[in-house]
Amino acid sequence: LRDFGLYYGIAFQMKDDVLDLTGDERSLGKPVGNDLAERKVTIPVILGLAHAGPAARRLVEQFYREDGHQSAAVIAALREAGGADATREQIAQYAQRAKLSLAPLDQSAAKNELAHLADALIDRGEP
C-alpha cells in the first residue's frame, strides 16, 4: 500500500500539473496557468522544454526570469512542444505502477477501488 500511495501520489500531482496547462478555469475551480503565475517548474514545463525549439525555450526562460504576463503564450509553447502529452505518458506509467503494487493484496472491493482510482488518472481523449 505504501508503494501504491507513492506512485498514485506522483501521478496525481502530475495530473494536477498538466490540468494547469490544459484545463479551463470553470472546471478546475482555479485559474489556468496558476502554477506558471507562481513560477513553479512542473513536470509539463520540464518535459516541454526538453522538446521545445529555440524560440519556445527563449520565451519560457524569459518568462521565468522576468515578471512578465505572457503565460498564455508560454502555455501554448509548452503544449506545442509536447509537455502535456509527455506528462500524460508519465501519468499512465505511474498509474500502472500503482496498480501493479496492489498485486500482493487479496482480491477485495477495496483493492478494486484503488485500481479504479489509478485508472481515473489516465486521460482518455482529453485535450
mmCIF file of all heavy atoms in Angstrom, residues 75-118:
data_model
loop_
_atom_site.group_PDB
_atom_site.id
_atom_site.type_symbol
_atom_site.label_atom_id
_atom_site.label_comp_id
_atom_site.label_asym_id
_atom_site.label_seq_id
_atom_site.Cartn_x
_atom_site.Cartn_y
_atom_site.Cartn_z
ATOM 1 N N ILE A 75 2.064 28.810 -22.118
ATOM 2 C CA ILE A 75 1.234 27.609 -22.118
ATOM 3 C C ILE A 75 1.141 27.038 -23.521
ATOM 4 O O ILE A 75 1.316 25.833 -23.727
ATOM 5 C CB ILE A 75 -0.170 27.913 -21.544
ATOM 6 C CG1 ILE A 75 -0.078 28.148 -20.039
ATOM 7 C CG2 ILE A 75 -1.145 26.780 -21.850
ATOM 8 C CD1 ILE A 75 -1.357 28.674 -19.419
ATOM 9 N N ALA A 76 0.881 27.888 -24.490
ATOM 10 C CA ALA A 76 0.781 27.425 -25.879
ATOM 11 C C ALA A 76 2.097 26.807 -26.349
ATOM 12 O O ALA A 76 2.103 25.754 -27.000
ATOM 13 C CB ALA A 76 0.373 28.583 -26.789
ATOM 14 N N ALA A 77 3.214 27.428 -26.019
ATOM 15 C CA ALA A 77 4.518 26.915 -26.436
ATOM 16 C C ALA A 77 4.812 25.559 -25.798
ATOM 17 O O ALA A 77 5.319 24.647 -26.464
ATOM 18 C CB ALA A 77 5.619 27.914 -26.084
ATOM 19 N N LEU A 78 4.492 25.415 -24.519
ATOM 20 C CA LEU A 78 4.744 24.148 -23.831
ATOM 21 C C LEU A 78 3.841 23.042 -24.350
ATOM 22 O O LEU A 78 4.274 21.892 -24.503
ATOM 23 C CB LEU A 78 4.565 24.321 -22.320
ATOM 24 C CG LEU A 78 5.613 25.192 -21.636
ATOM 25 C CD1 LEU A 78 5.209 25.488 -20.199
ATOM 26 C CD2 LEU A 78 6.988 24.519 -21.692
ATOM 27 N N ARG A 79 2.602 23.374 -24.634
ATOM 28 C CA ARG A 79 1.688 22.371 -25.207
ATOM 29 C C ARG A 79 2.167 21.964 -26.595
ATOM 30 O O ARG A 79 2.174 20.780 -26.924
ATOM 31 C CB ARG A 79 0.270 22.916 -25.256
ATOM 32 C CG ARG A 79 -0.355 23.002 -23.864
ATOM 33 C CD ARG A 79 -1.743 23.542 -23.914
ATOM 34 N NE ARG A 79 -2.652 22.552 -24.495
ATOM 35 C CZ ARG A 79 -3.951 22.730 -24.602
ATOM 36 N NH1 ARG A 79 -4.502 23.842 -24.176
ATOM 37 N NH2 ARG A 79 -4.708 21.800 -25.126
ATOM 38 N N GLU A 80 2.559 22.952 -27.397
ATOM 39 C CA GLU A 80 3.049 22.674 -28.758
ATOM 40 C C GLU A 80 4.300 21.798 -28.721
ATOM 41 O O GLU A 80 4.491 20.930 -29.573
ATOM 42 C CB GLU A 80 3.342 23.994 -29.472
ATOM 43 C CG GLU A 80 4.049 23.831 -30.790
ATOM 44 C CD GLU A 80 3.144 24.127 -31.959
ATOM 45 O OE1 GLU A 80 2.004 24.549 -31.749
ATOM 46 O OE2 GLU A 80 3.602 23.927 -33.080
ATOM 47 N N ALA A 81 5.139 22.018 -27.729
ATOM 48 C CA ALA A 81 6.384 21.246 -27.608
ATOM 49 C C ALA A 81 6.131 19.837 -27.064
ATOM 50 O O ALA A 81 7.046 19.023 -27.014
ATOM 51 C CB ALA A 81 7.370 21.981 -26.707
ATOM 52 N N GLY A 82 4.911 19.563 -26.646
ATOM 53 C CA GLY A 82 4.583 18.221 -26.185
ATOM 54 C C GLY A 82 4.678 18.018 -24.689
ATOM 55 O O GLY A 82 4.638 16.884 -24.215
ATOM 56 N N GLY A 83 4.779 19.093 -23.929
ATOM 57 C CA GLY A 83 4.890 18.964 -22.481
ATOM 58 C C GLY A 83 3.699 18.272 -21.845
ATOM 59 O O GLY A 83 3.850 17.419 -20.969
ATOM 60 N N ALA A 84 2.493 18.613 -22.306
ATOM 61 C CA ALA A 84 1.285 17.992 -21.746
ATOM 62 C C ALA A 84 1.200 16.524 -22.146
ATOM 63 O O ALA A 84 0.909 15.663 -21.306
ATOM 64 C CB ALA A 84 0.042 18.753 -22.200
ATOM 65 N N ASP A 85 1.468 16.226 -23.406
ATOM 66 C CA ASP A 85 1.389 14.833 -23.880
ATOM 67 C C ASP A 85 2.424 13.949 -23.194
ATOM 68 O O ASP A 85 2.123 12.825 -22.791
ATOM 69 C CB ASP A 85 1.576 14.762 -25.394
ATOM 70 C CG ASP A 85 0.401 15.371 -26.145
ATOM 71 O OD1 ASP A 85 -0.721 15.421 -25.582
ATOM 72 O OD2 ASP A 85 0.596 15.805 -27.296
ATOM 73 N N ALA A 86 3.635 14.446 -23.063
ATOM 74 C CA ALA A 86 4.685 13.667 -22.396
ATOM 75 C C ALA A 86 4.342 13.444 -20.920
ATOM 76 O O ALA A 86 4.618 12.364 -20.376
ATOM 77 C CB ALA A 86 6.037 14.376 -22.534
ATOM 78 N N THR A 87 3.710 14.430 -20.302
ATOM 79 C CA THR A 87 3.307 14.273 -18.909
ATOM 80 C C THR A 87 2.202 13.231 -18.798
ATOM 81 O O THR A 87 2.203 12.411 -17.873
ATOM 82 C CB THR A 87 2.847 15.619 -18.316
ATOM 83 O OG1 THR A 87 3.923 16.561 -18.439
ATOM 84 C CG2 THR A 87 2.475 15.483 -16.847
ATOM 85 N N ARG A 88 1.272 13.236 -19.739
ATOM 86 C CA ARG A 88 0.210 12.218 -19.732
ATOM 87 C C ARG A 88 0.804 10.814 -19.832
ATOM 88 O O ARG A 88 0.302 9.885 -19.196
ATOM 89 C CB ARG A 88 -0.763 12.465 -20.873
ATOM 90 C CG ARG A 88 -1.674 13.639 -20.651
ATOM 91 C CD ARG A 88 -2.725 13.727 -21.764
ATOM 92 N NE ARG A 88 -3.461 14.956 -21.653
ATOM 93 C CZ ARG A 88 -3.268 16.025 -22.432
ATOM 94 N NH1 ARG A 88 -2.364 16.009 -23.387
ATOM 95 N NH2 ARG A 88 -3.993 17.108 -22.256
ATOM 96 N N GLU A 89 1.845 10.662 -20.621
ATOM 97 C CA GLU A 89 2.509 9.358 -20.724
ATOM 98 C C GLU A 89 3.113 8.955 -19.375
ATOM 99 O O GLU A 89 3.019 7.799 -18.967
ATOM 100 C CB GLU A 89 3.586 9.397 -21.802
ATOM 101 C CG GLU A 89 3.042 9.511 -23.209
ATOM 102 C CD GLU A 89 4.128 9.740 -24.254
ATOM 103 O OE1 GLU A 89 5.322 9.524 -23.949
ATOM 104 O OE2 GLU A 89 3.779 10.139 -25.373
ATOM 105 N N GLN A 90 3.718 9.911 -18.689
ATOM 106 C CA GLN A 90 4.294 9.639 -17.374
ATOM 107 C C GLN A 90 3.199 9.295 -16.355
ATOM 108 O O GLN A 90 3.365 8.398 -15.529
ATOM 109 C CB GLN A 90 5.110 10.833 -16.877
ATOM 110 C CG GLN A 90 6.392 11.070 -17.641
ATOM 111 C CD GLN A 90 7.367 9.926 -17.452
ATOM 112 O OE1 GLN A 90 7.632 9.494 -16.342
ATOM 113 N NE2 GLN A 90 7.893 9.425 -18.555
ATOM 114 N N ILE A 91 2.084 9.995 -16.436
ATOM 115 C CA ILE A 91 0.961 9.706 -15.542
ATOM 116 C C ILE A 91 0.511 8.264 -15.733
ATOM 117 O O ILE A 91 0.303 7.535 -14.757
ATOM 118 C CB ILE A 91 -0.207 10.687 -15.791
ATOM 119 C CG1 ILE A 91 0.185 12.102 -15.358
ATOM 120 C CG2 ILE A 91 -1.473 10.218 -15.066
ATOM 121 C CD1 ILE A 91 -0.765 13.184 -15.861
ATOM 122 N N ALA A 92 0.357 7.851 -16.986
ATOM 123 C CA ALA A 92 -0.079 6.481 -17.269
ATOM 124 C C ALA A 92 0.912 5.464 -16.712
ATOM 125 O O ALA A 92 0.506 4.433 -16.156
ATOM 126 C CB ALA A 92 -0.260 6.293 -18.770
ATOM 127 N N GLN A 93 2.201 5.747 -16.828
ATOM 128 C CA GLN A 93 3.210 4.821 -16.307
ATOM 129 C C GLN A 93 3.150 4.730 -14.785
ATOM 130 O O GLN A 93 3.209 3.632 -14.220
ATOM 131 C CB GLN A 93 4.605 5.249 -16.766
ATOM 132 C CG GLN A 93 4.836 5.031 -18.239
ATOM 133 C CD GLN A 93 6.200 5.529 -18.697
ATOM 134 O OE1 GLN A 93 7.098 5.759 -17.887
ATOM 135 N NE2 GLN A 93 6.348 5.711 -19.997
ATOM 136 N N TYR A 94 3.007 5.851 -14.113
ATOM 137 C CA TYR A 94 2.933 5.827 -12.650
ATOM 138 C C TYR A 94 1.618 5.200 -12.169
ATOM 139 O O TYR A 94 1.599 4.502 -11.149
ATOM 140 C CB TYR A 94 3.133 7.220 -12.050
ATOM 141 C CG TYR A 94 4.586 7.554 -11.878
ATOM 142 C CD1 TYR A 94 5.300 8.210 -12.873
ATOM 143 C CD2 TYR A 94 5.275 7.180 -10.731
ATOM 144 C CE1 TYR A 94 6.653 8.499 -12.721
ATOM 145 C CE2 TYR A 94 6.615 7.461 -10.564
ATOM 146 C CZ TYR A 94 7.301 8.116 -11.568
ATOM 147 O OH TYR A 94 8.638 8.398 -11.421
ATOM 148 N N ALA A 95 0.534 5.451 -12.876
ATOM 149 C CA ALA A 95 -0.739 4.824 -12.512
ATOM 150 C C ALA A 95 -0.635 3.308 -12.662
ATOM 151 O O ALA A 95 -1.143 2.558 -11.814
ATOM 152 C CB ALA A 95 -1.870 5.379 -13.370
ATOM 153 N N GLN A 96 0.035 2.860 -13.703
ATOM 154 C CA GLN A 96 0.233 1.420 -13.892
ATOM 155 C C GLN A 96 1.097 0.842 -12.777
ATOM 156 O O GLN A 96 0.819 -0.234 -12.258
ATOM 157 C CB GLN A 96 0.864 1.142 -15.262
ATOM 158 C CG GLN A 96 1.032 -0.322 -15.573
ATOM 159 C CD GLN A 96 -0.285 -1.082 -15.629
ATOM 160 O OE1 GLN A 96 -1.331 -0.529 -15.932
ATOM 161 N NE2 GLN A 96 -0.236 -2.359 -15.317
ATOM 162 N N ARG A 97 2.140 1.548 -12.392
ATOM 163 C CA ARG A 97 2.972 1.098 -11.266
ATOM 164 C C ARG A 97 2.143 1.002 -9.989
ATOM 165 O O ARG A 97 2.308 0.074 -9.202
ATOM 166 C CB ARG A 97 4.137 2.057 -11.035
ATOM 167 C CG ARG A 97 5.219 1.979 -12.065
ATOM 168 C CD ARG A 97 6.315 2.969 -11.739
ATOM 169 N NE ARG A 97 7.285 3.039 -12.805
ATOM 170 C CZ ARG A 97 8.251 3.933 -12.863
ATOM 171 N NH1 ARG A 97 8.386 4.840 -11.915
ATOM 172 N NH2 ARG A 97 9.096 3.942 -13.873
ATOM 173 N N ALA A 98 1.277 1.985 -9.785
ATOM 174 C CA ALA A 98 0.413 1.959 -8.601
ATOM 175 C C ALA A 98 -0.457 0.708 -8.615
ATOM 176 O O ALA A 98 -0.568 0.003 -7.603
ATOM 177 C CB ALA A 98 -0.447 3.221 -8.543
ATOM 178 N N LYS A 99 -1.055 0.416 -9.765
ATOM 179 C CA LYS A 99 -1.905 -0.771 -9.864
ATOM 180 C C LYS A 99 -1.106 -2.056 -9.663
ATOM 181 O O LYS A 99 -1.567 -2.969 -8.976
ATOM 182 C CB LYS A 99 -2.614 -0.782 -11.210
ATOM 183 C CG LYS A 99 -3.713 0.252 -11.314
ATOM 184 C CD LYS A 99 -4.300 0.356 -12.692
ATOM 185 C CE LYS A 99 -4.767 -0.951 -13.237
ATOM 186 N NZ LYS A 99 -5.412 -0.836 -14.545
ATOM 187 N N LEU A 100 0.089 -2.110 -10.218
ATOM 188 C CA LEU A 100 0.921 -3.314 -10.054
ATOM 189 C C LEU A 100 1.318 -3.521 -8.597
ATOM 190 O O LEU A 100 1.491 -4.663 -8.154
ATOM 191 C CB LEU A 100 2.170 -3.217 -10.932
ATOM 192 C CG LEU A 100 1.943 -3.357 -12.439
ATOM 193 C CD1 LEU A 100 3.237 -3.074 -13.205
ATOM 194 C CD2 LEU A 100 1.395 -4.732 -12.779
ATOM 195 N N SER A 101 1.435 -2.452 -7.865
ATOM 196 C CA SER A 101 1.815 -2.579 -6.458
ATOM 197 C C SER A 101 0.708 -3.218 -5.620
ATOM 198 O O SER A 101 0.950 -3.647 -4.487
ATOM 199 C CB SER A 101 2.212 -1.222 -5.875
ATOM 200 O OG SER A 101 1.089 -0.379 -5.765
ATOM 201 N N LEU A 102 -0.480 -3.303 -6.166
ATOM 202 C CA LEU A 102 -1.597 -3.934 -5.470
ATOM 203 C C LEU A 102 -1.604 -5.456 -5.617
ATOM 204 O O LEU A 102 -2.375 -6.137 -4.939
ATOM 205 C CB LEU A 102 -2.929 -3.373 -5.994
ATOM 206 C CG LEU A 102 -3.161 -1.877 -5.805
ATOM 207 C CD1 LEU A 102 -4.440 -1.454 -6.529
ATOM 208 C CD2 LEU A 102 -3.219 -1.517 -4.338
ATOM 209 N N ALA A 103 -0.758 -5.991 -6.473
ATOM 210 C CA ALA A 103 -0.754 -7.429 -6.777
ATOM 211 C C ALA A 103 -0.679 -8.329 -5.537
ATOM 212 O O ALA A 103 -1.374 -9.346 -5.483
ATOM 213 C CB ALA A 103 0.368 -7.766 -7.760
ATOM 214 N N PRO A 104 0.135 -8.012 -4.535
ATOM 215 C CA PRO A 104 0.210 -8.905 -3.373
ATOM 216 C C PRO A 104 -1.066 -8.968 -2.527
ATOM 217 O O PRO A 104 -1.225 -9.876 -1.709
ATOM 218 C CB PRO A 104 1.353 -8.333 -2.534
ATOM 219 C CG PRO A 104 2.119 -7.454 -3.439
ATOM 220 C CD PRO A 104 1.135 -6.954 -4.462
ATOM 221 N N LEU A 105 -1.966 -8.013 -2.710
ATOM 222 C CA LEU A 105 -3.192 -7.981 -1.907
ATOM 223 C C LEU A 105 -4.203 -9.005 -2.410
ATOM 224 O O LEU A 105 -4.316 -9.243 -3.612
ATOM 225 C CB LEU A 105 -3.821 -6.585 -1.954
ATOM 226 C CG LEU A 105 -2.972 -5.424 -1.454
ATOM 227 C CD1 LEU A 105 -3.729 -4.112 -1.639
ATOM 228 C CD2 LEU A 105 -2.594 -5.630 -0.002
ATOM 229 N N ASP A 106 -4.954 -9.573 -1.476
ATOM 230 C CA ASP A 106 -6.052 -10.468 -1.846
ATOM 231 C C ASP A 106 -7.118 -9.670 -2.590
ATOM 232 O O ASP A 106 -7.279 -8.464 -2.367
ATOM 233 C CB ASP A 106 -6.675 -11.105 -0.601
ATOM 234 C CG ASP A 106 -5.739 -12.100 0.076
ATOM 235 O OD1 ASP A 106 -4.832 -12.643 -0.607
ATOM 236 O OD2 ASP A 106 -5.902 -12.318 1.287
ATOM 237 N N GLN A 107 -7.839 -10.351 -3.453
ATOM 238 C CA GLN A 107 -8.914 -9.702 -4.196
ATOM 239 C C GLN A 107 -9.968 -9.186 -3.210
ATOM 240 O O GLN A 107 -10.373 -9.901 -2.296
ATOM 241 C CB GLN A 107 -9.546 -10.699 -5.171
ATOM 242 C CG GLN A 107 -10.343 -10.071 -6.270
ATOM 243 C CD GLN A 107 -9.528 -9.163 -7.154
ATOM 244 O OE1 GLN A 107 -9.144 -8.075 -6.735
ATOM 245 N NE2 GLN A 107 -9.256 -9.572 -8.359
ATOM 246 N N SER A 108 -10.364 -7.941 -3.367
ATOM 247 C CA SER A 108 -11.362 -7.345 -2.489
ATOM 248 C C SER A 108 -11.947 -6.113 -3.165
ATOM 249 O O SER A 108 -11.402 -5.596 -4.143
ATOM 250 C CB SER A 108 -10.742 -6.941 -1.152
ATOM 251 O OG SER A 108 -9.831 -5.869 -1.339
ATOM 252 N N ALA A 109 -13.043 -5.634 -2.604
ATOM 253 C CA ALA A 109 -13.657 -4.403 -3.118
ATOM 254 C C ALA A 109 -12.706 -3.226 -2.956
ATOM 255 O O ALA A 109 -12.617 -2.361 -3.828
ATOM 256 C CB ALA A 109 -14.978 -4.138 -2.400
ATOM 257 N N ALA A 110 -11.971 -3.196 -1.847
ATOM 258 C CA ALA A 110 -11.027 -2.104 -1.609
ATOM 259 C C ALA A 110 -9.908 -2.106 -2.654
ATOM 260 O O ALA A 110 -9.540 -1.049 -3.179
ATOM 261 C CB ALA A 110 -10.444 -2.205 -0.201
ATOM 262 N N LYS A 111 -9.382 -3.278 -2.960
ATOM 263 C CA LYS A 111 -8.328 -3.386 -3.974
ATOM 264 C C LYS A 111 -8.851 -2.912 -5.332
ATOM 265 O O LYS A 111 -8.180 -2.155 -6.037
ATOM 266 C CB LYS A 111 -7.835 -4.828 -4.061
ATOM 267 C CG LYS A 111 -6.766 -5.043 -5.110
ATOM 268 C CD LYS A 111 -6.303 -6.491 -5.132
ATOM 269 C CE LYS A 111 -5.274 -6.738 -6.210
ATOM 270 N NZ LYS A 111 -4.791 -8.130 -6.197
ATOM 271 N N ASN A 112 -10.061 -3.324 -5.680
ATOM 272 C CA ASN A 112 -10.657 -2.905 -6.952
ATOM 273 C C ASN A 112 -10.859 -1.397 -6.996
ATOM 274 O O ASN A 112 -10.623 -0.764 -8.023
ATOM 275 C CB ASN A 112 -11.991 -3.618 -7.182
ATOM 276 C CG ASN A 112 -11.811 -5.092 -7.469
ATOM 277 O OD1 ASN A 112 -10.743 -5.533 -7.894
ATOM 278 N ND2 ASN A 112 -12.852 -5.860 -7.218
ATOM 279 N N GLU A 113 -11.271 -0.815 -5.895
ATOM 280 C CA GLU A 113 -11.495 0.630 -5.844
ATOM 281 C C GLU A 113 -10.183 1.400 -6.011
ATOM 282 O O GLU A 113 -10.132 2.418 -6.703
ATOM 283 C CB GLU A 113 -12.192 1.033 -4.549
ATOM 284 C CG GLU A 113 -12.640 2.473 -4.520
ATOM 285 C CD GLU A 113 -13.603 2.831 -5.642
ATOM 286 O OE1 GLU A 113 -14.416 1.996 -6.056
ATOM 287 O OE2 GLU A 113 -13.534 3.987 -6.115
ATOM 288 N N LEU A 114 -9.121 0.914 -5.384
ATOM 289 C CA LEU A 114 -7.815 1.558 -5.552
ATOM 290 C C LEU A 114 -7.359 1.492 -7.007
ATOM 291 O O LEU A 114 -6.834 2.471 -7.552
ATOM 292 C CB LEU A 114 -6.778 0.917 -4.628
ATOM 293 C CG LEU A 114 -6.956 1.188 -3.143
ATOM 294 C CD1 LEU A 114 -5.963 0.360 -2.325
ATOM 295 C CD2 LEU A 114 -6.820 2.670 -2.825
ATOM 296 N N ALA A 115 -7.570 0.356 -7.643
ATOM 297 C CA ALA A 115 -7.207 0.221 -9.062
ATOM 298 C C ALA A 115 -8.025 1.184 -9.923
ATOM 299 O O ALA A 115 -7.492 1.811 -10.849
ATOM 300 C CB ALA A 115 -7.405 -1.223 -9.527
ATOM 301 N N HIS A 116 -9.317 1.337 -9.609
ATOM 302 C CA HIS A 116 -10.155 2.288 -10.346
ATOM 303 C C HIS A 116 -9.689 3.727 -10.140
ATOM 304 O O HIS A 116 -9.727 4.536 -11.077
ATOM 305 C CB HIS A 116 -11.623 2.147 -9.944
ATOM 306 C CG HIS A 116 -12.270 0.889 -10.424
ATOM 307 N ND1 HIS A 116 -12.319 0.522 -11.748
ATOM 308 C CD2 HIS A 116 -12.883 -0.099 -9.739
ATOM 309 C CE1 HIS A 116 -12.935 -0.632 -11.869
ATOM 310 N NE2 HIS A 116 -13.277 -1.043 -10.660
ATOM 311 N N LEU A 117 -9.245 4.053 -8.937
ATOM 312 C CA LEU A 117 -8.707 5.394 -8.685
ATOM 313 C C LEU A 117 -7.488 5.665 -9.558
ATOM 314 O O LEU A 117 -7.342 6.753 -10.119
ATOM 315 C CB LEU A 117 -8.331 5.552 -7.210
ATOM 316 C CG LEU A 117 -9.484 5.734 -6.235
ATOM 317 C CD1 LEU A 117 -8.968 5.683 -4.797
ATOM 318 C CD2 LEU A 117 -10.208 7.044 -6.494
ATOM 319 N N ALA A 118 -6.604 4.681 -9.666
ATOM 320 C CA ALA A 118 -5.421 4.841 -10.515
ATOM 321 C C ALA A 118 -5.821 4.995 -11.977
ATOM 322 O O ALA A 118 -5.289 5.854 -12.690
ATOM 323 C CB ALA A 118 -4.463 3.657 -10.328
#
